[in-house]
């Protein structure tokens, strides 16, 4: 696609031509929310990869006629317009529930599919052409970043022919669709794992069934792992023979460190180095990439150390104290985190147990000046400690699910890298669609292999 085939125009011109519609959201009042009607989508639910509908607010059902004019439509490109997340974008797909935009969201909607492909707008919003203009608009005010509708009308856009727009949207959309499928599959697998852990080790369902003289619904070797009665403990009623003890009954703590920042030979090596920021921004089970890396020399001459894969890393201090993830590969970390390694060879049970207990651990940390999790937080903790035999059986059952989650996460990282490499070249016309098809074919065969 040669550069002279691009139509350079403005949003204002496209709007006046009747081929583009832009708008912002509904200014909801508190009393209008809290019902079971349409979703009210705030900008905070728009992530870098998808819309997170967990915890969204809803309108009262009878208000639907009032808010329908701000209802999202299939194919809308969505952009956040205020605060540090200004310019974050997403796309409305058929898999999403109906929702109403909030004021800090704007939508770009194609009104003429023979001129503008909505999916192309989705990816143009991630292009350098838009990013550069957005940066200029942010810098034009001393206030918090804000992208007004007036600013949006001033945007310059380079439009390729509609056939190219559709092809670009299809190629990049195929990659994003697979990434989203992996994300949703991981959410399902994670929910299954949590449900099983809760049934066995929180609600004690097999023990309750046996205590009531009922069949626990498990094969006999599994059922035999659970007692048929309860006993009192300092945490209340627990299965007979189980213990109450600290988290460190099941794990050992590992600490990290930071190589000297003024030593260039310590940094930008091949060893991943995790920080609290990496863990806090990890919105998935496994952490497999970090913002910074260190060299072997940096590792050897500092307090940091290798942390094995499948250890759990927890943010120990700051605003995100208690955020946690599991290392998907061996890496180092800094001193703002603790890692916990299972001493019973049951890392997945430990991960689930920490997920369940973390709120209490963080609450215990709130007594300190900086809301810091310390060694004593774990040492003084009180949790139910099931027998190792039950924990190992749990790990055996869920290990295939965790490994599938890790494979999906790694695949999505590769797909995102391919998408990010193709996007600027396709949008600018440097790469033709047929060339990118060849590249995608190579990636597909790589996964098949």
């Amino acid at each position: 696609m040669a550069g002279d085939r691009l139509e350079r125009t403005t949003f204002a011109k496209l709007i006046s031509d009747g081929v583009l519609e832009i708008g912002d959201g509904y200014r909801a009042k508190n009393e209008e929310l809290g019902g079971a009607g349409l979703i009210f989508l705030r900008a905070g639910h728009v992530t870098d990869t998808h819309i997170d509908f967990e915890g969204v607010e809803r309108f009262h059902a009878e208000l639907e006629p009032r808010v329908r004019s701000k209802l999202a439509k299939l194919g809308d490109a969505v952009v956040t317009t205020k605060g540090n997340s200004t310019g974050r974008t997403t796309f409305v797909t058929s898999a999403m529930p109906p929702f109403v935009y909030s004021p800090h969201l704007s939508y770009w909607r194609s009104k003429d599919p023979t001129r503008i492909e909505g999916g192309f707008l989705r990816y143009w919003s991630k292009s350098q052409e838009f990013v550069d203009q957005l940066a200029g608009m942010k810098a034009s005010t001393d206030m918090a970043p804000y992208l007004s509708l007036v600013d949006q009308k001033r945007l310059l856009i380079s439009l390729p022919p509609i056939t190219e727009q559709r092809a670009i949207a299809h190629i990049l959309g195929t990659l994003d669709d697979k990434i989203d499928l992996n994300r949703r599959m991981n959410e399902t697998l994670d929910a299954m794992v949590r449900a099983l852990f809760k049934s066995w080790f929180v609600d004690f369902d097999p023990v309750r069934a046996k205590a009531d003289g009922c069949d626990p619904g498990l094969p006999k070797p599994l059922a035999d792992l659970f007692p048929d009665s309860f006993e009192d403990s300092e945490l209340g009623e627990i299965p007979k023979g189980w213990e109450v003890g600290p988290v460190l009954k099941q794990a050992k703590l590992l600490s990290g460190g930071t190589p000297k920042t003024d030593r260039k030979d310590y940094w930008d090596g091949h060893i991943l180095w995790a920080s609290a920021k990496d863990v806090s921004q990890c919105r998935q089970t496994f952490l497999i990439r970090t913002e910074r890396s260190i060299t072997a020399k940096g590792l050897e001459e500092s307090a940091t150390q290798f942390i094995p894969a499948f250890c759990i890393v927890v943010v120990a201090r700051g605003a995100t104290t208690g955020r946690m993830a599991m290392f998907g590969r061996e890496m180092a970390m800094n001193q703002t985190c603790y890692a916990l390694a299972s001493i019973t060879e049951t890392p997945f049970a430990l991960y689930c147990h920490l997920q369940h207990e973390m709120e209490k651990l963080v609450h215990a940390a709130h007594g300190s000046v900086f809301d810091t999790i310390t060694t004593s937080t774990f040492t003084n903790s009180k949790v139910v400690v099931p027998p190792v035999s039950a924990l190992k059986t749990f790990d055996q059952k869920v290990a295939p699910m965790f490994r599938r989650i890790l494979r999906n996460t790694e695949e999505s990282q590769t797909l995102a890298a391919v998408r990010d490499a193709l996007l600027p070249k396709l949008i600018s016309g440097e790469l033709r669609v047929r060339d990118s098809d060849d590249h995608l074919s190579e990636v597909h065969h790589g996964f098949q292999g």
Side-chain angles (χ1 to χ4, degrees):
M1 180 179 60
D4 57 7
R5 295 177 64 201
L6 298 174
E7 176 193 355
R8 291 178 173 82
T9 185
T10 65
F11 271 32
K13 180 66 165 61
L14 294 170
I15 292 168
S16 68
D17 289 347
V19 300
L20 177 68
E21 177 185 340
I22 68 172
D24 56 9
Y26 181 82
R27 284 159 176 74
K29 300 174 183 176
N30 289 337
E31 58 268 24
E32 294 177 315
L33 302 172
L38 289 169
I39 291 169
F40 181 60
L41 188 74
R42 296 186 186 274
H45 290 274
V46 176
T47 76
D48 290 320
T49 57
H50 65 286
I51 295 178
D52 181 4
F53 288 99
E54 184 175 353
V56 292
E57 297 172 278
R58 290 178 178 270
F59 287 98
H60 294 290
E62 64 270 17
L63 296 178
E64 181 170 336
R66 184 186 302 176
V67 301
R68 284 198 69 85
S69 64
K70 299 295 186 178
L71 192 64
K73 291 187 179 180
L74 179 66
D76 284 356
V78 186
V79 58
T80 58
T81 59
K82 192 169 185 179
N84 292 331
S85 69
T86 297
R88 186 177 292 166
T89 60
T90 189
F91 188 68
V92 180
T93 71
S94 59
M96 296 177 182
F99 65 86
V100 175
Y101 294 113
S102 69
H104 293 170
L105 293 173
S106 282
Y107 63 87
W108 302 341
R109 181 177 298 160
S110 172
K111 301 292 286 183
D112 182 354
T114 68
R115 287 281 309 280
I116 299 179
E117 170 65 32
F120 175 80
L121 288 176
R122 168 192 192 179
Y123 292 107
W124 181 82
S125 68
K126 300 176 186 295
S127 72
Q128 201 62 44
E129 186 173 40
F130 173 66
V131 170
D132 288 346
Q133 293 180 80
L134 178 64
M137 292 173 180
K138 284 183 179 180
S140 66
T141 175
D142 294 331
M143 301 174 66
Y146 178 54
L147 182 63
S148 68
L149 291 178
V150 172
D151 287 336
Q152 292 173 53
K153 290 177 182 178
R154 291 165 40 213
L155 289 169
L156 295 164
I157 183 171
S158 300
L159 289 173
I162 190 62
T163 54
E164 292 284 350
Q165 290 184 42
R166 290 169 182 160
I168 290 169
H170 172 72
I171 290 168
L172 299 178
T174 297
L175 293 169
D176 269 332
D177 287 347
K178 176 55 177 169
I179 292 170
D180 190 58
L181 177 63
N182 285 346
R183 178 188 61 78
R184 288 186 281 116
M185 185 186 301
N186 284 357
E187 287 179 349
T188 300
L189 291 169
D190 181 71
M192 292 169 62
V193 167
R194 290 193 192 205
L196 182 63
F197 182 86
K198 185 173 184 291
S199 174
W200 284 15
F201 301 123
V202 178
D203 296 334
F204 313 127
D205 289 336
V207 182
R208 295 192 188 283
K210 293 174 74 172
D212 292 340
C214 301
D215 183 354
L218 299 172
K220 189 175 186 305
L222 271 182
D224 289 345
L225 295 171
F226 298 92
D228 58 6
S229 60
F230 291 89
E231 61 186 14
D232 290 332
S233 77
E234 57 188 300
L235 295 181
E237 195 176 60
I238 66 171
K240 187 173 183 179
W242 291 21
E243 300 179 36
V244 170
V247 169
L248 297 187
K249 185 90 173 177
Q250 304 172 63
K252 64 178 179 179
L253 279 179
L254 302 173
S255 58
T258 303
K260 291 181 179 179
T261 55
D262 60 352
R263 289 284 301 270
K264 291 184 179 180
D265 57 337
Y266 286 173
W267 296 94
D268 301 322
H270 68 280
I271 300 170
L272 297 177
W273 182 77
S275 67
K277 180 180 178 182
D278 293 312
V279 179
S280 299
Q281 293 181 348
C282 180
R283 294 177 175 268
Q284 51 204 9
T285 301
F286 287 100
L287 180 66
I288 62 172
R289 63 184 300 177
T290 58
E291 186 175 47
R292 303 196 69 183
S293 63
I294 60 174
T295 63
K297 189 176 181 68
L299 179 74
E300 293 166 4
E301 299 182 4
S302 73
T304 193
Q305 60 181 315
F306 269 129
I307 308 296
F310 302 119
C311 284
I312 296 90
V313 59
V314 181
V315 176
R317 60 180 68 97
T320 58
T321 297
R323 292 279 181 87
M324 57 178 282
M326 182 177 283
F327 281 159
R329 55 192 62 166
E330 182 182 59
M331 63 180 74
M333 68 179 189
N334 73 7
Q335 65 276 13
T336 62
C337 300
Y338 278 114
L340 292 97
S342 172
I343 60 177
T344 55
E345 299 182 347
T346 56
F348 306 129
L350 176 62
Y351 176 80
C352 293
H353 208 160
L354 285 170
Q355 275 188 317
H356 177 69
E357 298 290 340
M358 190 53 62
E359 185 176 348
K360 286 190 286 185
L361 293 174
V362 172
H363 181 73
H366 282 348
S368 66
V369 176
F370 300 107
D371 291 345
T372 302
I373 290 177
T374 64
T375 303
S376 62
T377 306
F378 296 103
T379 303
N380 298 330
S381 61
K382 297 291 184 180
V383 301
V384 178
V385 183
V388 173
S389 57
L391 294 173
K392 286 193 171 184
T393 299
F394 175 83
D395 254 50
Q396 290 168 3
K397 288 185 71 68
V398 302
M401 289 184 268
F402 272 95
R403 295 187 187 280
R404 182 57 185 270
I405 290 172
L406 178 56
R407 286 199 303 272
N408 287 344
T409 304
E410 291 172 334
E411 180 183 280
S412 290
Q413 178 176 294
T414 300
L415 292 171
V418 171
R419 177 203 61 207
D420 294 344
L422 288 176
L423 191 152
K425 295 181 179 181
L426 286 171
I427 295 292
S428 68
E430 178 184 344
L431 184 67
R432 296 297 300 273
V433 169
R434 60 175 177 270
D435 298 324
S436 61
D437 280 335
D438 293 338
H439 188 63
L440 284 180
S441 180
E442 292 175 9
V443 173
H444 174 74
H445 288 308
F447 284 130
Q448 291 296 310

